[in-house]
Amino acid sequence: MRPRITTTLLAIPLTTAALVAASALPAAAAPPGMAITTAAAVTSLNQVITNITIWIGGLLGGLATLLATIGGVRYLLANGDPGEVIKAKETLKYAAIGYGVAVLAPLLLTILKGFVG
């Protein structure tokens, strides 16, 4: 059984690393050659869809990071309790699904642009 201070000290660097990784998601989600623009500079439907996709990708990345942090802390604090370990693993699974959707957001954007034109 780990003392709570050790668990907390382990959770802090993991959370920091996850937050740094999630902050890079919106910039990485922009298609090559297309910059993120302000609301006043939007001139086409494609740019609006791109901006919305970038924002949604960033939100999904942030939510997945939050879930990963919660799942990790729950796993560390489970202390071998099988019920708590299962709940923590489910939370980590949902975080992985969230990261997957955030990474696939640009692909979904391309498919949507194909339908819209």
Side-chain angles (χ1 to χ4, degrees), residues 29-32 34 46 49-50 53 103-117:
M34 185 169 287
N46 284 340
I49 293 171
T50 300
T53 304
V103 168
L104 291 176
L107 176 65
L108 298 174
L109 169 70
T110 304
I111 293 170
L112 184 61
K113 280 185 178 179
F115 286 126
V116 173

Side-chain angles (χ1 to χ4, degrees), residues 18-91:
L19 289 173
V20 169
S23 67
L25 267 177
M34 185 169 287
I36 300 173
T37 58
T38 61
V42 174
T43 58
S44 69
L45 180 61
N46 284 340
Q47 187 63 45
V48 170
I49 293 171
T50 300
N51 288 347
I52 290 172
T53 304
I54 291 169
W55 273 98
I56 289 173
L59 290 174
L60 286 174
L63 182 62
T65 301
L66 178 66
L67 285 175
T69 303
I70 291 170
V73 170
R74 288 181 81 175
Y75 193 77
L76 290 171
L77 297 177
N79 288 330
D81 181 16
E84 287 298 317
V85 170
I86 290 172
K87 289 178 185 177
K89 286 183 179 180
E90 286 177 354
T91 305

